[in-house]
Each structure stands twice: as structure tokens, then as C-alpha cells.
């Protein structure tokens, strides 16, 4: 069975408690645990291999530069980019989206132009556009969801107009696990001359990606959700878009020449990577991608979707459980137990060595739409298996007994 063959708990030192008990980690949508291969790569990069990149004349620095640029090529290959110049290393998805808003957005979006988001977006795919709208006078349109919590692409079609310059949507929802039909969203956006940005935070760790084929124009993700370290993420954009974008941050490494009269800027991706970059993080991200790719991203999706379905079926056997989101989803399940606040549930589950997320998941507009202040969320990773579902169900049953 897929779930047994994929679960790789032994590779992940984070999956045990301080007492050496199994830790049932069901918060992978927030951040993934790291395999030993990533920890070792990071440790080597910080230790015996460590030096700066791009400027050292000594061999260690030249080696480190090769490692950093090899990571960029590895990411390019992983997402199906046509060139590694389309890969900009940033701090995370949040920074990637802010970068697009403050460079492409400030030059391409003006007063009265429209930006379409959806009801299920993460705050990091809402607030940067509000900041841009405040500076430009652009207007944000919100695409509604279908009854089962998917972005309603028929409604998107009706929202679009020649004034729409950007459609920016989650490829996979971090709350509901809904998977966007990205190709159709891209075709719709392009039919009015708009660009499509995909927030890939939850798709990069579990889907086989070919971004040019998906048809999006920008794609953002965070390394820490892809089994890599924190502090690194990726913005992918078509080369011609990056070429036309002004710098984001100014500083070292992003210039061609500097005088007090005028500075000229390096071509992408260096133009967007001011300062000493995330060297060790990029190298560890390379190791994470090698790890995930060896397992097969399409298998990861099937494995986690299968666990999500099992969990939904088990939750349905209990009394007073409300399930959110579509039946067919990526490995993310949001739910509510009647009469139990998600935080109380999370606290009791913690006593059972089960870690779930309880809260608004940085998606307050979605919570308002669902009519709840918070949900409980269990999210699976490549290391999850039936033992995690069993522990969660035991914990929920105990919680229900406590709350009568
Ligand atoms: N978008 C989605 C869908 C997410 O799940 C997250 C992280 N929860 C983000 C954006 C933001 O990612 P980060 O905090 O790593 O920048």
C-alpha cells in the first residue's frame, strides 16, 4: 500500500519526542520536518565547506559558489524552468510575493487596475497586494469558492475584465487542501491579458511541477515546507518578466557598477539578490529536492491525499465533527469538533504526542467565510502514515470524553 512504502520516519530525527517516543507530527503544512540528508548537507555547508560566494578569489569560496549555483540549477530542473536565470532565491514565499508586488506590481499596475485574489488565500497572498493597492489606487477583487471549498473558476471568469492585470491564487490551499486547476486559471487570466501568480507553498512539496506547462507567470514557494531549511524560498518567473522588473532591494551583489551619480544593475536573478545570500540554506534546499525527487513528487501527492481521505472517513464516524474542504484534496484536512475549541483540542492532543495546528492558519477571510474563528488542521507529509491517524483519532476520542 502506498502509505507503507512511502513513510520514511526513520530518516527524520525530528519525529521522536525527547523521551524517544514517536511524535505524531501533523503540522507539515506549516513546516516540514527535515531528513537527515538535509541536516547533514546544512552542517557540512556551515562547517568544513563554509565560505562566502561570488567574490572570493580563494578556492573554498569558488567551491561554495559552485554549490550555490548548482542549487539554483537543481531548483530550475525541479520546477521545469527553461533556465536557471528564472530562479530567484528569496527568504520565503512571503518575500517572493512582496518582491513581485513591489517590482512588477509597482511598474505594471496603476489606478483603477484590478487584482484578483480568492477567498481562501493565505495572508501573504493578500497583504502585499493591499500594500500595492494602497500605493497605486488598484482595486482587489475576491473570487468566491464553490460550496466544497475550491476556487470557483466560473466565478473567476465573470470577475475578469480588461482592467485585470493580475490573478494571484493558491495552487493548493493550506487550510482546505483544495487543488486549483492552474492551467484553466492561467488560460482565463491570459484571455484578458492578465498575469497569473501561483502561491506554490503547498504544491511544491507534493506535486510534480512543470511551471511553463501549467501556464503561470510567477510561482512562489518556501524551502522549509519542502523538507529544506527555513530562510530560503524561491520566486520563479519567466525570464522576460524578470528582465523587465526593477530591483527590489539595493546593495551588494545586485549591481553592475556603482558611482555616486548612478548605479547600474546586474541581470536577473542577481538583480534581485542583494547582499550575501542564503548560501548554506540553498545548498541544504538542494539536498531536500534530491530527497523528494528520489521518492517521486507525484507519489507524495497520492500518498498524502490517500491519508487525507482515510482521515476524513474516520472523522465522519465520530459524532459532531464538521469537515471543511473538498473530498478530493491534497494531504490537508481542516475540521471542527462541536463544543471543543480547536486550541483545547490541540492542547489535549499534545499530551498524546500528536501535533496539529489550531487557529486561523493565516487565512482570516476564509475563516470568516466558513463562519468559524478557527479550525483544527491535520496536514500530512511524506513521512506520515496510518499510525499518525490512529494516534490522532485516539486523542480526539479522549477529548470528546473529557468534554462530555
Ligand atoms: N502561502 C501558503 C499557502 C502557505 O501555506 C504559507 C505558509 N503557511 C505561506 C504562503 C507563507 O509562507 P512563508 O511563511 O514560508 O513565507
Amino acid at each position: 500500500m502506498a502509505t507503507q512504502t512511502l513513510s520514511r520516519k526513520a530518516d527524520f530525527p525530528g519525529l521522536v519526542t525527547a523521551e524517544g517516543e514517536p511524535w505524531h507530527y501533523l503540522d507539515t503544512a506549516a513546516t516540514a520536518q527535515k531528513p537527515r540528508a538535509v541536516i547533514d548537507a546544512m552542517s557540512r555547508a556551515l562547517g568544513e565547506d563554509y565560505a562566502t560566494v561570488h567574490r572570493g578569489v580563494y578556492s573554498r569560496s569558488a567551491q561554495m559558489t559552485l554549490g550555490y549555483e548548482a542549487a539554483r540549477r537543481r531548483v530550475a530542473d525541479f520546477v521545469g524552468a527553461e533556465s536557471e536565470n528564472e530562479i530567484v532565491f528569496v527568504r520565503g514565499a512571503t518575500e517572493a510575493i512582496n518582491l513581485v508586488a513591489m517590482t512588477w506590481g509597482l511598474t505594471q499596475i496603476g489606478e483603477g487596475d484590478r487584482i484578483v485574489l480568492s477567498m481562501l488565500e493565505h495572508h501573504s497572498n493578500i497583504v502585499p497586494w493591499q500594500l500595492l493597492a494602497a500605493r497605486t489606487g488598484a482595486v482587489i477583487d475576491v473570487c468566491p469558492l464553490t460550496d466544497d471549498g475550491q476556487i470557483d473558476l466560473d466565478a473567476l471568469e465573470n470577475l475578469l475584465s480588461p482592467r485585470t492585470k493580475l490573478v494571484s491564487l493558491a495552487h493548493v490551499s493550506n487550510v482546505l487542501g483544495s487543488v486549483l486547476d492552474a492551467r484553466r486559471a492561467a488560460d482565463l487570466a491570459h484571455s484578458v491579458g492578465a498575469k497569473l501568480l501561483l502561491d506554490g507553498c503547498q504544491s511544491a512539496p507534493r506535486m510534480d511541477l512543470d511551471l511553463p506547462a501549467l501556464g503561470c507567470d510567477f510561482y512562489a514557494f518556501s524551502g522549509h515546507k519542502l523538507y529544506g531549511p527555513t530562510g530560503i524560498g524561491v520566486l520563479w518567473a519567466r525570464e522576460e518578466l524578470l528582465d523587465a522588473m526593477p530591483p527590489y532591494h539595493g546593495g551588494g551583489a545586485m549591481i553592475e557598477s556603482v558611482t555616486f551619480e548612478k548605479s547600474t544593475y546586474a541581470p536577473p536573478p542577481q538583480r534581485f539578490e542583494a547582499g550575501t545570500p542564503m548560501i548554506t540554506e540553498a545548498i541544504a534546499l538542494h539536498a531536500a529536492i534530491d530527497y523528494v525527487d528520489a521518492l517521486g513528487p507525484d507519489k507524495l501527492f497520492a500518498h498524502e491525499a490517500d491519508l487525507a481521505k482515510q482521515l476524513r472517513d474516520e472523522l465522519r464516524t465520530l459524532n459532531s465533527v464538521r469537515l471543511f474542504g473538498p473530498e478530493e484534496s491534497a494531504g490537508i484536512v481542516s475540521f471542527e469538533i462541536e463544543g471543543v475549541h480547536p486550541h483545547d483540542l490541540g492542547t489535549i492532543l499534545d499530551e498524546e504526542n500528536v501535533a496539529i495546528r489550531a487557529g486561523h492558519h493565516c487565512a482570516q477571510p476564509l475563516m470568516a467565510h466558513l463562519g468559524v474563528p478557527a479550525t483544527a488542521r491535520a496536514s500530512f507529509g511524506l513521512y506520515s502514515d496510518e499510525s499518525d491517524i490512529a494516534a490522532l483519532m485516539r486523542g480526539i476520542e479522549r477529548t470528546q470524553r473529557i468534554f462530555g
Side-chain angles (χ1 to χ4, degrees):
M1 193 171 183
T3 49
Q4 258 123 37
T5 53
L6 252 171
S7 180
R8 294 292 188 100
K9 288 189 190 296
D11 291 350
F12 292 80
L15 291 178
V16 287
T17 65
E19 293 75 38
E21 308 269 313
W23 192 44
H24 299 286
Y25 183 71
L26 293 169
D27 199 17
T28 297
T31 196
Q33 295 293 321
K34 317 304 169 201
R36 178 61 68 196
V38 168
I39 299 166
D40 289 348
M42 185 94 179
S43 169
R44 266 195 316 277
L46 280 168
E48 59 265 38
D49 293 346
Y50 191 70
T52 193
V53 292
H54 291 155
R55 33 192 158 240
V57 289
Y58 45 91
S59 52
R60 178 86 75 87
S61 172
Q63 271 313 111
M64 208 60 175
T65 304
L66 290 178
Y68 181 70
E69 291 304 329
R72 195 190 306 280
R73 280 195 301 281
R74 188 70 182 92
V75 173
D77 179 55
F78 182 66
V79 301
E82 270 150 29
S83 148
E84 68 250 39
N85 293 334
E86 297 178 340
I87 303 300
V88 181
F89 282 130
V90 288
R91 206 157 53 80
T94 301
E95 185 174 49
I97 297 171
N98 278 277
L99 191 163
V100 176
M102 290 300 141
T103 58
W104 180 85
L106 270 184
T107 50
Q108 302 298 321
I109 293 185
E111 191 168 355
D113 284 340
R114 326 248 347 160
I115 299 166
V116 181
L117 311 175
S118 88
M119 188 63 89
L120 58 65
E121 297 310 313
H122 188 281
H123 296 164
S124 61
N125 193 27
I126 299 175
V127 183
W129 307 116
Q130 290 174 327
L131 294 171
L132 177 67
R135 284 177 67 167
T136 58
V139 181
I140 291 173
D141 293 311
V142 182
C143 180
L145 307 181
T146 59
D147 289 344
D148 67 346
Q150 320 214 39
I151 298 174
D152 185 342
L153 293 183
D154 294 333
L156 175 67
E157 190 164 10
N158 294 329
L159 268 178
L160 295 172
S161 81
R163 293 307 303 263
T164 309
K165 291 290 181 298
L166 178 75
V167 177
S168 190
L169 303 173
H171 195 190
V172 171
S173 160
N174 65 310
V175 182
L176 305 174
S178 336
V179 181
L180 176 75
D181 178 350
R183 183 70 246 184
R184 184 168 169 221
D187 290 343
L188 288 173
H190 295 159
S191 71
V192 293
K195 302 287 182 233
L196 175 69
L197 185 151
L198 288 182
D199 171 352
C201 268
Q202 301 298 341
S203 57
R206 45 173 69 83
M207 283 170 88
D208 200 0
L209 294 172
D210 180 348
L211 299 181
L214 277 187
C216 61
D217 301 286
F218 300 101
Y219 184 87
F221 69 92
S222 293
H224 68 97
K225 295 181 197 264
L226 181 58
Y227 306 93
T230 52
I232 188 150
V234 170
L235 170 67
W236 169 87
R238 295 175 189 282
E239 205 165 358
E240 68 271 17
L241 283 172
L242 287 176
D243 266 338
M245 281 156 54
Y248 177 47
H249 293 149
M254 51 75 73
I255 53 91
E256 230 158 42
S257 74
V258 176
T259 67
F260 276 110
E261 288 68 43
K262 181 177 162 55
S263 297
T264 57
Y265 310 121
Q270 279 73 29
R271 186 188 303 159
F272 305 104
E273 294 183 8
T276 303
M278 299 68 83
I279 307 166
T280 54
E281 289 80 359
I283 288 168
L285 177 61
H286 186 160
I289 290 177
D290 282 348
Y291 184 90
V292 165
D293 234 8
L295 296 176
D298 47 341
K299 292 205 191 74
L300 264 51
F301 187 91
H303 169 74
E304 296 168 22
D306 187 33
L307 290 172
K309 181 138 189 28
Q310 286 181 45
L311 176 58
R312 291 179 78 88
D313 287 345
E314 296 222 18
L315 285 172
R316 255 193 292 267
T317 65
L318 300 177
N319 285 330
S320 325
V321 174
R322 180 176 170 201
L323 283 164
F324 302 98
E327 259 327 283
E328 299 291 318
S329 71
I332 299 172
V333 179
S334 263
F335 60 97
E336 185 187 45
I337 314 271
E338 203 177 286
V340 185
H341 193 282
H343 285 152
D344 293 331
L345 175 64
T347 307
I348 295 172
L349 289 174
D350 187 39
E351 295 165 8
E352 309 263 330
N353 295 336
V354 176
I356 60 154
R357 178 84 184 266
H360 56 61
H361 317 292
C362 297
Q364 287 182 354
L366 175 59
M367 295 298 114
H369 168 75
L370 297 173
V372 293
T375 71
R377 180 188 72 184
S379 56
F380 298 107
L382 64 88
Y383 35 66
S384 309
D385 63 19
E386 286 87 352
S387 71
D388 302 311
I389 296 182
L392 173 61
M393 293 306 294
R394 277 197 304 276
I396 292 175
E397 281 161 22
R398 186 176 148 234
T399 309
Q400 285 191 312
R401 282 198 300 277
I402 292 170
F403 280 79

